[in-house]
Amino acid sequence: MHEELIDELVAKQQLSRKEWILLLNSVNDPLREYAASKARSVAQKIYGTKIYVRGLIEFTNYCRNDCYYCGIRRSNSKVNRYRLTPDEIISCCDRGYQLGFHTFVLQGGEDLSYTDEALTDIIRRIKAAHPDCALTLSIGERERSSYQKFYSAGADRFLLRHETADDEHYNKLHPKELSPAHRKQCLSYLKEIGYQTGCGIMVGSPYQTTENIADDLLYMKELDPQMVGIGPFIPHTDTPFKEFTAGSLEMTLFLLSLTRLMLPNVLLPATTALGTIKSDGRELGVLAGANVIMPNLSPGKVKKDYILYDNKICTGEEAAECISCVEMRMQKIGYQIAYERGDYKKA
């Protein structure tokens, strides 16, 4: 019965809310492996055994927001705050390019000290130095006009996890000044402008229900993003959610597979958080249908200060060491690291 729902998802690339809930409530190891085998097949048909690497640059850990789950939330006074200068950001890209990277991801807290003009200048400098590379931004909620400026300057992609599609659940994770409607509006703006757009969720976040996840899947199908970020919730000791249990590895892997089957062409990362909750978590993510990994190109002096959750891996490695490790790990499971841009392939 439940395998039949997976087969239906493969055939139609969608399920009803009732079917999603039934499937999510029925997950077990055989069903998860059945979904993973189908997801691997779909991913390999479109992208082969290539795993695209993105050079992640965490350029600021200042944030104007106070999200209850996040280690760099505004009110966490224990964070050693930093901001990379434009020259330091460019240097990270240059180093990444020398290592073979052709996509860079600028990720940071919502730090408005980087004005539209400052970010536009950084984007133009990166694209001028490396015109054959793609540039992804992951900098949170901004005005539509700001998104347009960044896109016009050369940014190609934008990651903005919606966190949860359910308003009530969203309000349990965020302070009242943050709006789920505005979050979704930002994602709509990004799609309209022309970005390769990414949304996503934390699996096992506090107060999350099966119905919430079903609604997330329905929202993602409607949005039709080019990228989806799915990783487990991991608590941070200096947040209001420090006592909550981390999200399930098994459910995260299941959702990666379901997302691949629902959105066959999607660019789907095996996240650092997945590798944090289990040493071979990223390999398991790839075997569940993921096809992107994001090694960290941030300077060594700041890696230990960009901690969204406890026990984050790879904070002590240099970029070359990190990518060498990733290459070896992927080869062991029959995949190859691909250094090309790795753009979304339209159906």
Side-chain angles (χ1 to χ4, degrees), residues 166-186:
D166 181 82
D167 289 3
E168 184 178 350
H169 184 217
Y170 187 95
N171 291 333
K172 290 179 179 179
L173 304 179
H174 303 89
K176 61 183 179 181
E177 65 262 23
L178 294 178
S179 157
H182 186 258
R183 193 80 168 180
K184 292 176 182 176
Q185 182 65 72
C186 287

Side-chain angles (χ1 to χ4, degrees), residues 52-70:
Y52 299 120
V53 289
R54 317 313 200 183
L56 180 64
I57 303 164
E58 295 161 335
F59 68 100
T60 174
N61 68 352
Y62 281 86
C63 191
R64 61 176 169 166
N65 295 332
D66 218 15
C67 304
Y68 302 145
Y69 49 82
C70 184

